[in-house]
Amino acid sequence: MSESEKIKQLLDEQVKHLKHKREEVLSRVQNELDDIDRALRQLGHVAQPSHGLATAKRKRRDKVEDGQIIETLRSFMKPGESYTAAEILKQADLKGPRFANFKAKQRDFLKTHGAKRSMKYSLNE
């Protein structure tokens, strides 16, 4: 791989990481705003949406069973290839806590490579 390809790949990974982090931050802020609005409503005050974040009502996701996650992961993960957690979350349309719960229950399904933020996952064949 040439030097320019390596640089481009590093930049692409950084952009993906920052986009994922932005979504996480927006989600946390939205949750806090929802809590504040709920408290205001309980006190009899009708809260106004602030800064456009609270304009859309959040829908609760259907519970995703482990079997469904396994099927989804097998549908896009190729044996011998490794994927970052961000790639898996995006492809499988999962939230981080649900993926962490899945990994804890299904310890033998995925193989891990690396540590912490650089960790990658592959199918345990």
Side-chain angles (χ1 to χ4, degrees):
M1 185 183 293
S2 75
E3 202 63 30
S4 63
E5 289 173 333
K6 287 179 185 177
I7 292 171
K8 184 178 180 344
Q9 183 180 4
L10 287 172
L11 288 174
D12 289 344
E13 288 175 16
Q14 188 66 23
V15 167
K16 282 182 191 176
H17 170 72
L18 288 171
K19 284 182 176 181
H20 183 258
K21 189 169 184 157
R22 183 180 192 282
E23 288 177 30
E24 288 176 348
V25 169
L26 278 174
S27 177
R28 280 196 306 267
V29 168
Q30 184 61 54
N31 286 338
E32 287 185 43
L33 287 172
D34 290 346
D35 291 344
I36 292 168
D37 289 344
R38 192 174 307 109
L40 284 169
R41 280 194 303 276
Q42 287 176 347
L43 295 171
H45 184 272
V46 178
Q48 298 295 319
S50 56
H51 304 299
L53 289 173
T55 55
K57 196 157 193 146
R58 302 188 92 205
K59 291 183 181 179
R60 188 171 193 99
R61 290 174 166 239
D62 292 335
K63 182 171 168 117
V64 181
E65 300 296 329
D66 285 358
Q68 293 171 290
I69 295 173
I70 289 172
E71 286 178 34
T72 304
L73 295 179
R74 282 193 175 134
S75 73
F76 72 87
M77 291 179 78
K78 295 177 180 69
E81 289 189 22
S82 56
Y83 302 82
T84 65
E87 292 169 329
I88 292 172
L89 294 176
K90 184 176 180 181
Q91 288 284 333
D93 191 27
L94 290 173
K95 295 290 183 189
R98 179 62 184 105
F99 183 56
N101 184 287
F102 169 78
K103 290 186 303 185
K105 284 192 209 171
Q106 307 289 333
R107 291 186 187 272
D108 296 333
F109 184 72
L110 293 173
K111 200 179 339 176
T112 60
H113 313 278
K116 298 201 179 192
R117 294 178 87 53
S118 64
M119 185 175 290
K120 291 197 169 207
Y121 302 89
S122 63
L123 292 174
N124 199 359
E125 300 170 78

